[in-house]
């Protein structure tokens, strides 16, 4: 999977490294901004009330 | 064969990184976000209160004073008070918002809708995170009878004194936020406060409760209450 992505990135090794860094950052951003905030309430840390409203 | 091994190992690396990132998010990032958001909420409250104070002086009429900020209904998801608990740290202060929805509790402590208003007869019940989102009630078990819980709504300081707790119960025990909570030892209607959080620290099998009664009030013009002076 990662090898496939690496082969399909354009340019020489330096450009590839730069583009893959950007890709990683984009994935981390999406995870922190959208995926984790959605997943976190499914875990028990949020249950602090007695009536579970 | 090599392709399979490679794919499986790549998957493992991906899942491992995801888990590490998620732990970083829960342990660290929610706290960073919550601290910023809580500070914003407190700033907003101070702005709101200084506006109200300025408006009151401008109007100057007795009607404005009579109406007062106390009769303004709490709006769901909006802050209306700041809580100080010296036992949890001299600089410990958190905004109190109306409602206990998940999104509301990310921004501060949540006032159970349907329980009494701040300082009124009945039970003013507040929930807060033990862990994550700034860990507001991390040191909840250190609370002891006699500790002060101070709140302000911009016009009045309310000093509550803890009478009982931390009391451990199950999540379905809604009696603990009754106007006269039975297990608290209170027998007559009064001006009470209940704090709830989760127990154990990272779990959700139980709840920790403390109960307090309203000890004293004073207008903000009279300065900070004694419990908050160093």
């Amino acid at each position: 999977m990662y090898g496939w992505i690496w082969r399909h990135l354009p340019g020489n090794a330096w450009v590839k490294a730069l583009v893959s860094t950007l890709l990683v950052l984009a994935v981390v951003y999406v995870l922190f901004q959208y995926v984790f905030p959605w997943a976190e309430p499914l875990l028990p840390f949020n249950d602090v009330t007695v009536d579970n409203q | 064969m090599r392709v399979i091994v490679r794919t499986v190992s790549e998957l493992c690396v991906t899942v491992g990184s995801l888990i590490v990132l998620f732990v970083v998010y829960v342990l660290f990032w929610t706290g960073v976000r919550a601290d910023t958001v809580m500070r914003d909420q407190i700033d907003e409250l101070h702005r709101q209160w200084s506006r109200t104070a300025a408006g009151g002086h401008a109007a100057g009429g007795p009607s404005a004073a009579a109406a007062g900020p106390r009769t303004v209904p709490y709006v769901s998801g909006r802050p209306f008070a700041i809580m100080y608990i010296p036992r949890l740290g001299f600089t410990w202060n958190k905004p109190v918002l109306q409602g206990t929805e998940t999104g509301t509790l990310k921004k501060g402590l949540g006032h159970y809708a349907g329980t009494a208003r701040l300082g009124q007869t009945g039970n003013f019940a507040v929930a807060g995170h033990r862990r994550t989102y700034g860990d507001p009630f991390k040191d909840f078990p250190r609370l002891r009878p006699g500790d002060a819980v101070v709140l302000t709504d911009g016009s009045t300081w309310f000093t509550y004194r803890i009478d009982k707790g931390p009391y451990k119960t199950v999540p379905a025990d809604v009696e603990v936020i009754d106007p006269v909570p039975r297990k608290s030892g209170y027998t007559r209607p009064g001006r009470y406060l209940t704090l709830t959080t989760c127990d154990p620290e990272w779990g959700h099998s139980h709840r920790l409760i403390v109960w307090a009664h309203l000890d004293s009030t004073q207008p903000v013009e009279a300065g900070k209450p004694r419990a908050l002076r160093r």
Side-chain angles (χ1 to χ4, degrees):
Chain A
M1 175 176 68
Y2 295 119
W4 184 88
I5 295 175
W6 183 261
R7 277 195 302 279
H8 283 75
L9 288 175
N12 60 23
W14 288 107
V15 178
K16 285 181 186 215
L18 186 70
V19 174
S20 32
T21 314
L22 289 178
L23 276 178
V24 168
L25 286 178
V27 169
V28 170
Y29 175 81
V30 169
L31 285 176
F32 271 56
Q33 199 66 27
Y34 302 103
V35 181
F36 290 161
W38 163 83
E40 200 265 350
L42 306 177
L43 288 167
F45 318 134
N46 281 305
D47 303 337
V48 292
T49 62
V50 283
D51 50 1
N52 263 324
Q53 277 178 342
Chain B
M1 187 63 200
R2 262 184 69 179
V3 175
I4 295 172
V5 170
R6 193 170 60 211
T7 311
V8 168
S9 53
E10 281 186 347
L11 265 178
C12 290
V13 168
T14 310
V15 171
S17 320
L18 262 182
I19 292 172
V20 168
L21 278 174
F22 187 64
V23 169
V24 169
Y25 173 83
V26 169
L27 290 188
F28 174 70
W29 193 243
T30 59
V32 173
R33 288 282 287 273
D35 285 344
T36 319
V37 171
M38 288 186 199
R39 229 179 358 253
D40 288 349
Q41 300 287 328
I42 287 178
D43 288 347
E44 187 191 318
L45 277 176
H46 282 307
R47 263 201 310 279
Q48 202 177 308
W49 291 340
S50 59
R51 232 187 356 254
T52 317
H57 288 305
S63 60
R70 252 188 298 177
T71 51
V72 177
Y74 299 152
V75 183
S76 183
R78 308 287 297 164
F80 62 88
I82 303 176
M83 183 185 285
Y84 301 80
I85 303 181
R87 170 75 73 184
L88 301 183
F90 198 77
T91 55
W92 191 99
N93 60 87
K94 302 286 170 199
V96 184
L97 290 79
Q98 174 66 358
T100 50
E101 285 88 27
T102 309
T104 307
L105 286 169
K106 287 180 181 180
K107 299 182 204 158
L109 310 174
H111 170 233
Y112 286 86
T115 64
R117 292 169 64 90
L118 180 55
Q120 299 302 299
T121 304
N123 192 350
F124 178 74
V126 174
H129 279 293
R130 178 88 174 271
R131 277 297 193 168
T132 72
Y133 295 102
D135 306 339
F137 279 157
K138 180 165 68 99
D139 295 326
F140 202 86
R142 282 173 50 196
L143 295 173
R144 288 291 171 267
D147 284 358
V149 178
V150 182
L151 288 117
T152 178
D153 64 358
S155 58
T156 313
W157 287 101
F158 301 88
T159 305
Y160 289 86
R161 290 276 168 195
I162 294 176
D163 292 306
K164 187 166 178 200
Y167 168 78
K168 194 169 173 176
T169 188
V170 291
D173 189 7
V174 294
E175 262 189 5
V176 298
I177 59 169
D178 278 353
V180 183
R182 199 157 54 88
K183 288 162 194 152
S184 64
Y186 299 133
T187 49
R188 286 176 301 154
R191 296 158 196 265
Y192 302 127
L193 166 121
T194 305
L195 304 178
T196 73
T197 192
C198 66
D199 191 71
E201 224 166 303
W202 292 98
H204 65 151
S205 58
H206 290 80
R207 299 289 181 270
L208 277 187
I209 317 291
V210 301
W211 286 291
H213 71 276
L214 186 62
D215 190 46
S216 61
T217 62
Q218 62 185 72
V220 285
E221 293 81 26
K224 282 189 175 183
R226 217 175 32 181
L228 289 188
R229 294 196 203 127
R230 218 188 273 262

